[in-house]
Amino acid sequence: FLGRLGHRAKEVRDFAVVREFFTSSTVAALSDLPFTLIFIAIIAFIGGPVALVTLVASVAIVLPGIVLQKHLAQVSREHNKESAALNGILLEAVSNLETVKAARAEARLQRAYAQLSATIAGSSIRSRELTTLISQFVASTQQITYGGVVIVGVYRISEGHMTVGALIACTLLSGRALSAMSRVAGLLARWQGV
């Protein structure tokens, strides 16, 4: 009974996380998606093939978040199960404090608490490693894309198909398009934790 109660207590606490996920950053990221397509279309109008660099990068930014969903879900399930068990132990200890003291079960509960705390810390580290991997990949892709836009743009300028001002506009628009996609990648990284 208390294990289930601990699970319910964790679910109530996690409701705030779900509410925050669906209210603030999700709406902003999803409302930016159409602008990504508009920015890429403007880049294509101004710089032609320069838009392909941004388009490929936009897909590449989201790809790790999609590919790692299975691993993130597994780590999140483990973390939630362990957290529910920890809450159950805490509720058991608090609600049956007199029985725990009478049976001298403090050491057993303390060992179980320490073991579950260490397991939770390990699953939190694995989750953070995956989300950090995604965010580092996103940042690297943004930097590589900036360089790619400049390189393709320089060749277009040398061929006489673009001006320096058009290249500057393409780099700025590329950055705006990729920032929206990076928010989507961040949402994908957080999705399983909700």
Side-chain angles (χ1 to χ4, degrees):
F1 170 73
L2 288 173
R4 286 183 288 175
L5 187 60
H7 184 69
R8 294 290 174 241
K10 183 182 178 331
E11 286 178 352
V12 169
R13 198 172 2 159
D14 288 344
F15 180 72
V17 174
V18 172
R19 186 182 65 219
E20 187 274 328
F21 178 82
F22 282 110
T23 55
S24 62
S25 57
T26 306
V27 173
L30 293 179
S31 65
D32 280 347
L33 279 180
F35 291 104
T36 299
L37 297 174
I38 292 170
F39 292 147
I40 292 173
I42 293 171
I43 293 169
F45 179 73
I46 295 171
V50 175
L52 291 175
V53 177
T54 305
L55 182 63
V56 168
S58 295
V59 173
I61 281 177
V62 177
L63 206 57
I66 294 170
V67 170
L68 291 176
Q69 284 299 302
K70 190 174 186 177
H71 295 298
L72 286 167
Q74 180 183 3
V75 170
S76 179
R77 276 193 304 270
E78 289 173 10
H79 181 76
N80 287 338
K81 184 176 123 183
E82 294 154 357
S83 294
L86 183 66
N87 283 340
I89 287 175
L90 290 174
L91 283 172
E92 179 183 347
V94 170
S95 61
N96 298 318
L97 191 58
E98 296 298 322
T99 308
V100 169
K101 285 183 177 183
R104 295 187 178 198
E106 300 100 340
R108 182 187 69 80
L109 288 174
Q110 190 174 11
R111 279 191 308 274
Y113 178 82
Q115 182 182 10
L116 279 171
S117 294
T119 307
I120 288 171
S123 65
S124 293
I125 288 170
R126 284 191 302 277
S127 176
R128 268 188 245 123
E129 284 174 346
L130 289 173
T131 55
T132 301
L133 176 70
I134 291 171
S135 60
Q136 287 176 347
F137 180 80
V138 166
S140 299
T141 303
Q142 286 177 321
Q143 294 300 316
I144 291 167
T145 303
Y146 181 79
V149 166
V150 170
I151 290 169
V152 172
V154 166
Y155 281 111
R156 299 272 300 158
I157 291 170
S158 69
E159 294 170 351
H161 299 295
M162 249 176 99
T163 64
V164 174
L167 176 60
I168 292 170
C170 287
T171 57
L172 292 173
L173 289 170
S174 177
R176 288 294 305 144
L178 294 181
S179 70
M181 294 307 289
S182 68
R183 281 194 287 280
V184 171
L187 286 176
L188 287 170
R190 291 179 47 213
W191 174 255
Q192 294 299 332
V194 173

